Amino acid sequence: MIGKQLGGRYEILGRVGGGGMAIVYKGLDNLLHRHVAVKVLRQQYVHDEEFIQRFRREAQAAASLSHPNVVSIYDVGQEEDIHYIVMEYIEGTTLNELIKEKAPLQVEEAVHVAIQICDALDHAHHNQIIHRDIKPHNILIGKNGRVKVTDFGIARAVTSSTITQTGSVVGSVHYFSPEHAKGTPTGEQSDLYSLGIVMYQMLTGRLPFLGESPISVALKHLQEDVEEPRKVNPLIPQSVENIILRAMRKSTSERYRSAKDMLSDLESCLLPHRRNEPKVNFLDDDELDEEKTRVMPALRPGQYAVVEDDDDPQPRAKETALPEKKKGWVKPLVWFVVLMALVVGMWYAVQYVQEKLSVQRVDIPNVVDKPLAEAEKILTDSKLQVGVEYQNDETKPKDIVIRQSQSNMQVNAGSKIQLTVSSGPALKQMPDVTKLKLAEAKTQLLSLGFKSENIKIVQNFSDAEPETVATQTPGTDQQYANPADVKVELVVSKGRETFPMPNLIGKTENEAKTLLRDNNLKLSKDGISRQPSYKQKKGRVIQQFPFEPNDDVTPGTEITLTVSSGLPPEAGQMTVPVQIKPAKEGQAATATVILNDAAVDNFEYQKLTNVTQTETLEVKLIVSPEKNATVQIRGDGIQNDLITITYKDYLDQKNGEKSGGGKTEPPNGVTGTNGGGKTEPPATPASGTGVESGKPAQQGSGGTAAPTGQNGGAATAPAGNTTGTGGTNP
């Protein structure tokens, strides 16, 4: 239970106590941010309707009370099979723990506690609630000294019947009243009797009645007088002892009539003029019995004179005449016979009535672990009736008695004893471990007794999440007796089968569709969109979605393509003359022209060999408003230059203005102006190939480069003894 949250707001923090019916936990109300006490019905009673009703009755009884000395009830609820009551949490101890630590208590302290308990009982009785279980365990004492009465678990309204079960009474045997022990109706004075015992224990440190069994203690409540408290603790004032003795009288007529009367007596018992008041006297119960055996004086001959009747007209002489004496024995004999007949008849009548009305008590034999037939015979021979119900049991064979409703006690002859008999071990339903992770599924099976060596794992591709059990054998519709003998096969998903996504970038629309079809992929509905592009020629794929090239993809996945509709309208196509100068005139050198523009990056536009003099190369390029173009010349024995062409140059050229061939800047790492400096390679070396599907640059002769595609046209190097290789600008 620790850490569990009930009702969506009460978090269980720890256990603080428990009783026969429920366990009490300390909790936190997350809604109101306060500590509460959560009383949870024990699990063995969650299916017992009587205990559930008693548990609910506690909440109803306490909730109807509002008093500073009664624990407040905040909430009642049920979550699955957990029944709980949320009540006020008292930071402190119980009176039972205080008695164990300090008993006997100081008289003033004990009276102070008793006054608060009595005040709470007065309030409860005023609301027609009888507590029925007043004892130190149910009295809480806060750190501020405030006494709180709790646990109305067996409380009932005054108009309800006494709480009894068959042959038993619910309550705490050391504290309940004589009428409670007899099972007769209990009232307000029963709570006062229990309070008297609590006061006796606080002031003497011991209970008034002890015994070897609950029955013996209950009989002492009914038959024995309590030892006077002052004989145990002479420091108790006579006024306080009088209160205890009056509260603990066996006859309700001699106890306090109400808690209010007892409270009034408690509030004044420690006043100086009352401390040494006379001891209270009660009439002995035997003196009230008119039928009790008494000692009577014997009758002596001649002690009493015979009184004659003056109206008798017959003389004495006639009464003593001989004939009359002879007849005097007949009448007494007749009366004697008649009386004897009446006595015998009455005796037989009494015996007959007693036989009809008397209830014979018999002992209940213990038949647990015996075969059903033998158990039924033993109980029947003991004049008891037998009821049988079957229950599966893993340890006891079939038709063996598991338990009986009552044992080791006396009941009326003819009472019914309920036997719970084993029907053998139950067949268990195969657990469902599908949709669980493999580790979790194996843990669950092992916890149920399945053997690890009997669990076979098969890996398959499926739509289920990877490492999840897709199917199991045996299925959930099958049963088993011994899990150790069951062989289980778990089919575990490896996820959906995947393969690398093909690269569709740069492919024509038809080529892309063919590749999708060959790889068991689908083109989604309305899956082709078109947009301008600097990088790809018209009709070629610009983008694929949602998977990039080489991403893992599963068969049947739908793909969306974006296809180039050609260059954007604002694209600036230009032809720029570029001069290639050797470091020394007449000395052969090799030059490479690298182009960066809106369409290509680090593209080897053309490579010239055997350059001995200044040559002019017409370079076709594309600029955009967002990206300028650069032409880089580098090589051995060549003056390395970097020419930048802006979108403004394009606009000027378009408007017929002479741009002067663009702006020339020294390349990175070159000092000085054209020539005469040390050349370092750029950060990204020329690849020597075009960007279109990795095709090599076209070879040319006579210094001619013929870029194709959107740029159109060709750039021609001057004739001479130089040769070059050109690349195609995609």
Side-chain angles (χ1 to χ4, degrees):
M1 284 292 294
I2 308 301
K4 187 177 182 62
Q5 192 173 78
L6 300 177
R9 62 185 287 189
Y10 305 111
E11 182 181 358
I12 304 301
L13 302 179
R15 176 171 173 168
V16 296
M21 189 171 66
I23 302 173
V24 181
Y25 296 91
K26 180 179 180 181
L28 176 65
D29 185 345
N30 291 320
L31 184 61
L32 300 179
H33 301 288
R34 65 179 177 184
H35 286 109
V36 294
V38 182
K39 190 169 188 177
V40 179
L41 184 66
R42 288 185 180 272
Q43 283 298 307
Q44 59 262 42
Y45 301 132
V46 296
H47 301 297
D48 190 327
E49 191 61 28
E50 181 180 355
F51 274 90
I52 293 174
Q53 291 300 327
R54 189 180 304 162
F55 192 73
R56 292 173 179 168
R57 185 165 57 246
E58 174 183 3
Q60 294 170 356
S64 65
L65 305 178
S66 178
H67 191 273
N69 295 117
V70 176
V71 172
S72 300
I73 299 296
Y74 295 147
D75 196 3
V76 181
Q78 176 182 354
E79 187 164 314
E80 296 178 355
D81 60 347
I82 299 175
H83 298 263
Y84 63 92
I85 301 173
V86 182
M87 60 184 69
E88 178 184 5
Y89 178 74
I90 307 299
E91 192 76 29
T93 185
T94 65
L95 179 58
N96 186 52
E97 294 170 348
L98 183 65
I99 291 173
K100 288 180 180 179
E101 293 174 2
K102 299 175 59 178
L105 305 182
Q106 294 292 326
V107 175
E108 290 76 13
E109 184 179 8
V111 171
H112 177 68
V113 171
I115 286 174
Q116 296 186 70
I117 299 173
C118 197
D119 196 12
L121 290 177
D122 179 49
H123 177 72
H125 296 168
H126 182 72
N127 286 275
Q128 305 298 307
I129 299 297
I130 309 301
H131 190 284
R132 296 172 180 261
D133 199 18
I134 293 295
K135 58 183 179 181
H137 311 70
N138 294 335
I139 309 300
L140 305 180
I141 302 177
K143 290 186 176 180
N144 59 354
R146 172 77 69 181
V147 174
K148 296 272 190 177
V149 179
T150 186
D151 199 356
F152 284 77
I154 59 174
R156 276 201 180 210
V158 173
T159 56
S160 300
S161 62
T162 182
I163 302 176
T164 60
Q165 296 173 341
T166 305
S168 63
V169 179
V170 179
S172 302
V173 68
H174 290 97
Y175 300 92
F176 63 28
S177 61
E179 58 270 20
H180 202 166
K182 289 187 292 185
T184 58
T186 55
E188 299 176 2
Q189 292 169 303
S190 300
D191 285 347
L192 302 184
Y193 183 94
S194 300
L195 178 55
I197 296 179
V198 172
M199 290 184 64
Y200 188 103
Q201 188 178 5
M202 285 194 293
L203 291 169
T204 64
R206 67 187 191 186
L207 290 164
F209 300 114
L210 297 173
E212 297 179 355
S213 68
I215 297 298
S216 63
V217 176
L219 290 175
K220 289 183 179 181
H221 280 289
L222 293 169
Q223 300 171 356
E224 295 186 8
D225 291 328
V226 66
E227 184 178 7
E228 295 178 356
R230 281 170 58 85
K231 290 183 180 180
V232 183
N233 182 6
L235 298 178
I236 301 174
Q238 185 61 56
S239 58
V240 177
E241 184 188 67
N242 289 344
I243 293 174
I244 297 174
L245 294 177
R246 181 177 293 278
M248 292 182 60
R249 292 300 294 171
K250 301 187 186 305
S251 173
T252 56
S253 63
E254 294 180 324
R255 295 184 210 152
Y256 289 99
R257 296 180 63 83
S258 67
K260 188 174 183 179
D261 292 344
M262 185 173 179
L263 177 62
S264 177
D265 216 355
L266 282 167
E267 289 174 339
S268 63
C269 67
L270 294 182
L271 295 177
H273 69 278
R274 285 203 56 195
R275 281 181 171 266
N276 297 315
E277 66 184 11
K279 181 179 179 181
V280 65
N281 289 318
F282 301 94
L283 290 176
D284 188 14
D285 292 338
D286 289 337
E287 293 178 7
L288 300 175
D289 188 1
E290 296 178 358
E291 300 284 330
K292 82 169 201 170
T293 304
R294 302 176 184 272
V295 179
M296 302 292 292
L299 296 177
R300 300 183 181 87
Q303 183 175 358
Y304 297 96
V306 177
V307 179
E308 295 184 359
D309 189 356
D310 294 338
D311 296 333
D312 188 0
Q314 302 296 331
R316 298 291 297 177
K318 273 190 176 182
E319 293 179 5
T320 59
L322 184 58
E324 296 294 327
K325 285 185 178 180
K326 288 182 180 179
K327 296 179 181 179
W329 60 271
V330 177
K331 188 175 182 179
L333 179 61
V334 172
W335 281 110
F336 176 78
V337 172
V338 172
L339 289 174
M340 288 302 295
L342 289 174
V343 169
V344 172
M346 291 178 63
W347 184 82
Y348 276 109
V350 169
Q351 292 297 318
Y352 177 79
V353 172
Q354 285 183 344
E355 183 178 350
K356 291 295 184 182
L357 299 181
S358 65
V359 179
Q360 183 182 0
R361 303 285 288 179
V362 295
D363 292 322
I364 303 176
N366 190 343
V367 295
V368 174
D369 293 331
K370 295 184 181 298
L372 176 59
E374 180 182 348
E376 287 180 323
K377 184 177 185 307
I378 293 173
L379 292 174
T380 303
D381 292 345
S382 299
K383 300 181 180 180
L384 296 169
Q385 297 183 20
V386 181
V388 178
E389 61 179 8
Y390 283 89
Q391 176 181 306
N392 294 117
D393 191 275
E394 299 297 327
T395 58
K396 296 187 185 301
K398 186 178 180 181
D399 292 331
I400 297 296
V401 177
I402 302 172
R403 58 180 174 272
Q404 60 190 83
S405 58
Q406 295 169 293
S407 64
N408 300 323
M409 61 185 297
Q410 283 192 338
V411 295
N412 296 337
S415 296
K416 187 175 183 179
I417 306 302
Q418 192 72 21
L419 300 182
T420 302
V421 181
S422 171
S423 58
L427 289 177
K428 301 179 182 65
Q429 202 74 20
M430 191 68 189
D432 185 4
V433 296
T434 58
K435 300 181 182 179
L436 297 180
K437 292 293 186 181
L438 176 59
E440 186 179 351
K442 289 188 67 175
T443 300
Q444 181 174 334
L445 292 174
L446 293 175
S447 67
L448 293 174
F450 292 86
K451 297 296 184 182
S452 178
E453 57 269 22
N454 290 341
I455 301 176
K456 180 181 178 182
I457 310 299
V458 178
Q459 300 274 354
N460 276 342
F461 289 110
S462 72
D463 292 338
E465 187 178 347
E467 289 301 309
T468 300
V469 178
T471 60
Q472 66 178 70
T473 304
T476 56
D477 58 339
Q478 299 186 37
Q479 295 180 325
Y480 65 92
N482 185 5
D485 299 332
V486 181
K487 295 186 181 297
V488 180
E489 180 177 297
L490 302 179
V491 178
V492 180
S493 172
K494 293 173 24 179
R496 299 184 67 182
E497 186 176 5
T498 62
F499 56 88
M501 177 68 191
N503 186 3
L504 306 178
I505 306 299
K507 303 295 183 185
T508 65
E509 185 176 330
N510 289 333
E511 290 174 341
K513 290 179 179 179
T514 301
L515 277 174
L516 291 176
R517 185 173 57 253
D518 293 345
N519 286 276
N520 197 18
L521 299 172
K522 296 180 181 179
L523 184 65
S524 61
K525 185 178 181 182
D526 300 329
I528 295 181
S529 61
R530 302 181 187 277
Q531 68 180 38
S533 173
Y534 284 100
K535 299 294 185 182
Q536 296 295 341
K537 292 189 291 185
K538 183 176 181 180
R540 295 185 178 269
V541 176
I542 304 170
Q543 185 182 15
Q544 58 190 63
F545 181 83
F547 294 98
E548 296 294 328
N550 296 320
D551 285 352
D552 286 336
V553 65
T554 58
T557 302
E558 292 189 347
I559 305 297
T560 300
L561 301 177
T562 302
V563 178
S564 172
S565 61
L567 287 172
E570 68 274 11
Q573 301 184 60
M574 300 177 63
T575 300
V576 178
V578 177
Q579 290 188 345
I580 302 174
K581 301 177 182 179
K584 289 184 179 180
E585 289 286 340
Q587 186 174 344
T590 301
T592 302
V593 179
I594 305 298
L595 174 64
N596 281 279
D597 63 1
V600 296
D601 295 314
N602 290 326
F603 174 64
E604 186 176 315
Y605 186 83
Q606 190 165 341
K607 187 172 184 179
L608 304 175
T609 59
N610 198 22
V611 179
T612 58
Q613 60 184 3
T614 301
E615 298 180 6
T616 300
L617 178 67
E618 298 292 330
V619 178
K620 294 183 179 294
L621 51 85
I622 303 172
V623 293
S624 70
E626 292 80 20
K627 185 174 181 180
N628 297 330
T630 62
V631 178
Q632 185 179 2
I633 303 169
R634 61 187 181 187
D636 295 333
I638 294 296
Q639 183 173 327
N640 292 277
D641 286 341
L642 178 66
I643 303 171
T644 300
I645 299 92
T646 66
Y647 194 71
K648 184 177 182 301
D649 295 332
Y650 161 72
L651 294 177
D652 291 343
Q653 188 183 72
K654 182 179 180 181
N655 294 331
E657 298 179 8
K658 187 175 180 180
S659 63
K663 181 180 179 182
T664 302
E665 295 180 359
N668 188 24
V670 178
T671 59
T673 57
N674 297 345
K678 180 181 179 182
T679 304
E680 296 183 1
T684 304
S687 63
T689 63
V691 297
E692 181 184 347
S693 304
K695 294 180 182 178
Q698 297 178 356
Q699 298 293 328
S701 60
T704 300
T708 62
Q710 299 296 332
N711 294 347
T716 305
N721 57 354
T722 62
T723 61
T725 59
T728 300
N729 186 7

